[in-house]
Amino acid sequence: MPHTVLLAEDDRAIRNALERALTLEGYHVTAVADGVEALAQAHRSRPDVLVLDVMMPGIDGLQVCRVLRAEGDRTPVLILTALVETADRIAGLDAGADDYVVKPFDVEEVFARLRALLRRAAPVPTGPEPAAAPEPGAPAPSGRCLEAAGLRMDPQARRAWRGDRELELTRTEFELLELLIRNAGVVLEHATIYDRIWGYDFGPGSKNLAVYVGYLRRKLDEPGAPQLIHTVRGVGYVLREG
């Protein structure tokens, strides 16, 4: 079965071109012109992934994302934006988006980001009956956790803590932190992180990784505590305490 995409874009030329490109790529596409239609369609038939323009009349793409997340809908969301400032990108992530593409974009980049989102959203193969979930706010049993630099992560439950404080992470933030924890003390190059998280190296001009690292730092760091994610200039990032 082809993956289903809900595309919301008020610019008719961009909407039609992207709808054609996605259809030729093998996706089943429902294209709408504004956020109100996007929410109505998402409620009627849940897609595999949403592609939302930020600047739309009425309800914009970020508001659509906030509403869906508030309803508990975790469908992957790719944001299309003409806003290039870091603060604007962070606003998209804060709304619950999983990734973004800056206009004007190469359609191959959209394809690559969609493939990465859909891979990460794929169901986990059925295995043995999982252990009972921990009480809200309680760290998971250490036997199934990853631990490094004062952080604890339960990949199965997709929960993470710094000390006793549980972290509220988006899908991409969680997977980036998991990669860093699994390689604590090892400097990971930009290209390696792009390949492992997005499945595609967007090149030296991309600020995508820097934005996600900055946002993750904001959620991890605590006053008076050492920073955990360190930049190795010109190389990449490393997780270590102090």
Side-chain angles (χ1 to χ4, degrees):
M1 292 291 291
H3 287 295
T4 56
V5 177
L6 174 54
L7 167 64
E9 166 63 69
D10 68 318
D11 186 304
R12 180 181 296 177
I14 295 176
R15 183 174 68 252
N16 290 345
L18 193 50
E19 181 181 9
R20 285 195 301 271
L22 288 167
T23 300
L24 289 172
E25 189 68 8
Y27 294 98
H28 179 77
V29 184
T30 299
V32 299
D34 59 51
V36 173
E37 289 186 74
L39 278 175
Q41 182 60 38
H43 289 150
R44 282 194 295 268
S45 178
R46 181 173 175 175
D48 294 319
V49 64
L50 293 98
V51 180
L52 304 175
D53 181 35
V54 170
M55 305 295 288
M56 292 188 291
I59 299 177
D60 65 24
L62 299 189
Q63 290 174 299
V64 171
C65 192
R66 290 189 189 99
V67 169
L68 293 175
R69 296 302 187 240
E71 294 172 347
D73 190 326
R74 306 309 302 171
T75 303
V77 173
L78 177 66
I79 291 289
L80 305 178
T81 179
L83 305 174
V84 298
E85 296 298 324
T86 297
D88 297 316
R89 303 180 190 188
I90 287 175
L93 305 181
D94 200 27
D98 297 285
D99 204 354
Y100 64 87
V101 173
V102 177
K103 299 179 181 178
F105 51 79
D106 187 321
V107 71
E108 292 296 332
E109 180 178 353
V110 174
F111 293 161
R113 292 178 186 266
L114 287 178
R115 287 194 297 269
L117 287 177
L118 289 166
R119 280 197 304 272
R120 301 204 303 269
V124 177
T126 303
E129 186 70 21
E135 291 297 319
S142 59
R144 73 184 191 194
C145 279
L146 304 174
E147 297 187 51
L151 298 173
R152 174 180 287 188
M153 171 175 283
D154 181 350
Q156 182 179 344
R158 300 192 71 80
R159 298 174 67 184
W161 299 262
R162 180 169 188 178
D164 294 328
R165 177 172 62 92
E166 185 163 5
L167 306 170
E168 295 295 329
L169 305 176
T170 66
R171 184 194 310 272
T172 301
E173 291 166 355
F174 187 93
E175 295 192 356
L176 176 56
L177 183 59
E178 181 179 358
L179 179 63
L180 291 167
I181 290 177
R182 289 186 184 275
N183 295 274
V186 177
V187 178
L188 296 175
E189 296 182 352
H190 297 108
T192 298
I193 299 175
Y194 273 120
D195 182 67
R196 294 286 297 277
I197 302 300
W198 287 275
Y200 187 87
D201 185 354
F202 298 104
S206 174
K207 296 182 179 179
N208 198 55
L209 177 56
V211 169
Y212 274 97
V213 169
Y215 201 56
L216 189 53
R217 280 172 171 158
R218 287 175 56 190
K219 294 187 176 183
L220 290 179
D221 291 350
E222 298 175 339
Q227 186 179 73
L228 300 182
I229 302 177
H230 300 265
T231 302
V232 181
R233 191 171 299 278
V235 181
Y237 299 94
V238 58
L239 178 75
R240 64 169 181 263
E241 194 166 11

